Amino acid sequence: MSSHTRSDPPLIPGSPVIAGLLLAAGGGRRLGGRPKALLPYRGRPLVENAVRVLREAGCGPVHVVLGASAAEVRERADLAGCVVVDNPDWARGMGSSLRVGLDSLAGTGAGAALVSLVDQPGIGPTAVARVLAAYRSPTSLVAAAYDGERGHPVLFGVDRWADISATATGDQGARVHLARHAEELVLVECSDVAEAFDIDTPPDLARLL
């Protein structure tokens, strides 16, 4: 089920539509089953920060994929203006959420999807904007890099979505596609403006303070 509220600012005529795709379905298994989207961050659910980052960087529209405790996330988090979609198979891994998210973008006219993860609050709008700026065409394949190592966010031109959806299984996400097309991948160094840590275990929660 999707809820559609279009309140994003209009695009400049002729500029590409680059949608923000936020994967926020994780159940926080190593956090004792605390859904990552609802972890407290600066007094609000973590998912709200991730949406704000995408918007401030220039993504629009923003689609959010929920899974664990989806009803509670919808109730507690302010996701106004986002297109929110549920992934009933979220427990099978990130691949299923990526497929659901890309499917939700079909027919929107987006030329690319910029994929980010809800549990990386160290990555802000500046890093995301750098990745966005590297878009060139519907075949673009771009990723943020941290000291030369590929990380998130990742930008996929629309012409790549079908293959990514066909190969995204388990927790692989888009790794198969990225490996097959490594020579086409553009890395954008972001280590000077962002930290690519994940919130996965109880000690990591200190990073949210």
Side-chain angles (χ1 to χ4, degrees), residues 23-44:
L23 305 185
R29 177 177 54 83
R30 287 181 286 173
L31 291 168
R34 300 173 65 185
K36 291 187 175 184
L38 288 176
L39 293 174
Y41 183 62
R42 297 177 179 175
R44 297 297 304 166

Side-chain angles (χ1 to χ4, degrees), residues 66-131:
L66 300 180
S69 302
E72 185 179 1
V73 176
R74 287 172 179 270
E75 180 180 344
R76 291 177 51 190
D78 180 4
L79 300 177
C82 297
V83 176
V84 183
V85 293
D86 293 343
N87 174 18
D89 295 323
W90 64 268
R92 294 187 178 183
M94 188 190 303
S96 63
S97 291
L98 182 56
R99 291 196 306 272
V100 167
L102 291 176
D103 285 348
S104 76
L105 287 170
T108 63
L114 183 137
V115 180
S116 67
L117 308 180
V118 74
D119 67 340
Q120 294 189 320
I123 300 174
T126 301
V128 176
R130 283 188 185 178
V131 176

